[in-house]
Amino acid sequence: MGRFHRHDGDHDHEHEHEHEHDHDHDHGHDHDHPRVDTAPTAAHGDHSGYATESDRVVVLERIFAENDQTAAANRGDFDHAAVTAINLMSSPGAGKTMLLRETLLRLRSRLRIGIVEGDIETSIDADRLDGLGAAVALINTSNGFGGECHLDAPMVRSALGRLPLAELDIVVIENVGNLVCPAEFEVGEHARVMVYSVTEGEEKPLKYPVMFRSADLVLVNKVDLIPHLDFDLDTFYDNLRAVNPDAVTIEISARTGVGLTQWCQWLCDRHEQNRAATVTS
């Protein structure tokens, strides 16, 4: 997992936490991440200058314990309502919102879908989903210092009261665009789906293994652009399998519609599996 550590000189520094956005904000829940590596390895680079502080480890453990407790409560509410929750993650600009628009257009006659829309500022993405038959609960993570770089379980819980869970089949949680932090926080989801754009390069699974490793399904988006890119799809798949050999993949283009039938069927199948498991438990 991405973690913060401290260099000599008593200043915080990020390791394996290279965001696709500015990260100079103050997390409101004491979100310092200690690094626990103690020796350099060929796979992870030279960490010999990093130090672990026990007090920060304790803080981190408390943060995740509290988050996981709320995530379990969220999942309990989803299960009670027979709702399947999907945590949709990606880097900024990978195409999550366009994918959601096309998904709602294709599934609104088959499934009752709710959206938890996470964004740092504005209602731009939530507005793009308006009028498509989905209940949408917007979460802006701005805290006056730039905003949180992810959704956590308490944020999602705050949105559930604004969704008619008893009247829904699926809730898609569109996380903040970021390739690190969203993967670290359970929010009560039943499955994690990552939207990856081919414009991001083949090396991203190796650079951001936490995100790719956490995904149950990777949607390889914007495949219509491959003829115009210096991009090797086979190399991407090799890199993905190196960090997550069990990930399911579907090649899609939210713009042209390629692969969206398979994606929508995956959603329907996942909901049926989850509902069956809930009934028998």
Side-chain angles (χ1 to χ4, degrees), residues 20 89 122:
E20 297 292 330
M89 304 179 292
T122 81

Side-chain angles (χ1 to χ4, degrees), residues 72-185:
N74 292 347
R75 191 175 297 108
D77 287 350
F78 290 133
D79 289 343
H80 180 74
V83 167
T84 301
I86 304 296
N87 189 354
L88 189 67
M89 304 179 292
S90 79
S91 67
K96 295 191 304 299
T97 307
M98 179 177 284
L99 173 66
L100 279 179
R101 279 187 57 86
E102 296 303 317
T103 302
L104 293 175
L105 289 171
R106 286 164 170 77
L107 289 181
R108 59 185 173 182
S109 63
R110 296 173 60 186
L111 291 173
R112 301 167 299 173
I113 300 176
I115 307 292
V116 174
E117 180 61 50
D119 216 336
I120 293 177
E121 294 276 5
T122 81
S123 63
I124 292 173
D125 288 348
D127 293 342
R128 291 177 64 192
L129 303 176
D130 189 36
L132 299 179
V136 180
L138 173 64
I139 299 174
N140 280 138
T141 69
S142 177
N143 55 15
F145 297 94
E148 299 284 3
C149 56
H150 62 277
L151 295 181
D152 61 22
M155 294 180 201
V156 171
R157 188 153 193 81
S158 73
L160 296 189
R162 292 180 277 132
L163 291 178
L165 286 185
E167 303 171 14
L168 299 177
D169 299 310
I170 288 179
V171 168
V172 179
I173 302 160
E174 184 177 356
N175 221 308
V176 178
N178 177 357
L179 282 180
V180 181
C181 288
E184 298 180 334
F185 286 83

Side-chain angles (χ1 to χ4, degrees), residues 60-80:
L60 181 68
E61 289 176 345
R62 175 175 57 80
I63 289 170
F64 280 102
E66 292 174 355
N67 183 83
D68 291 350
Q69 184 177 17
T70 305
N74 292 347
R75 191 175 297 108
D77 287 350
F78 290 133
D79 289 343
H80 180 74

Side-chain angles (χ1 to χ4, degrees), residues 100-281:
L100 279 179
R101 279 187 57 86
E102 296 303 317
T103 302
L104 293 175
L105 289 171
R106 286 164 170 77
L107 289 181
R108 59 185 173 182
S109 63
R110 296 173 60 186
L111 291 173
R112 301 167 299 173
I113 300 176
I115 307 292
V116 174
E117 180 61 50
D119 216 336
I120 293 177
E121 294 276 5
T122 81
S123 63
I124 292 173
D125 288 348
D127 293 342
R128 291 177 64 192
L129 303 176
D130 189 36
L132 299 179
V136 180
L138 173 64
I139 299 174
N140 280 138
T141 69
S142 177
N143 55 15
F145 297 94
E148 299 284 3
C149 56
H150 62 277
L151 295 181
D152 61 22
M155 294 180 201
V156 171
R157 188 153 193 81
S158 73
L160 296 189
R162 292 180 277 132
L163 291 178
L165 286 185
E167 303 171 14
L168 299 177
D169 299 310
I170 288 179
V171 168
V172 179
I173 302 160
E174 184 177 356
N175 221 308
V176 178
N178 177 357
L179 282 180
V180 181
C181 288
E184 298 180 334
F185 286 83
E186 296 279 348
V187 294
E189 71 271 25
H190 297 98
R192 290 184 167 195
V193 176
M194 182 191 175
V195 182
Y196 159 80
S197 169
V198 297
T199 58
E200 298 175 57
E202 304 97 331
E203 78 285 354
K204 287 300 183 291
L206 304 181
K207 293 186 66 175
Y208 301 96
V210 178
M211 174 64 74
F212 286 88
R213 191 177 297 126
S214 74
D216 299 293
L217 170 67
V218 177
L219 297 174
V220 183
N221 193 22
K222 305 185 184 181
V223 293
D224 55 304
L225 296 180
I226 290 179
H228 310 288
L229 301 173
D230 183 16
F231 176 84
D232 190 312
L233 189 60
D234 289 337
T235 298
F236 166 76
Y237 282 130
D238 288 343
N239 293 337
L240 174 62
R241 300 307 175 200
V243 300
N244 187 352
D246 298 322
V248 177
T249 59
I250 301 175
E251 295 175 15
I252 67 168
S253 168
R255 185 177 69 88
T256 67
V258 169
L260 296 190
T261 297
Q262 295 95 311
W263 152 241
C264 289
Q265 190 59 52
W266 184 93
L267 269 181
C268 293
D269 292 345
R270 188 72 192 216
H271 175 60
E272 287 301 320
Q273 294 166 9
N274 187 64
R275 185 168 61 178
T278 302
V279 170
T280 57
S281 62

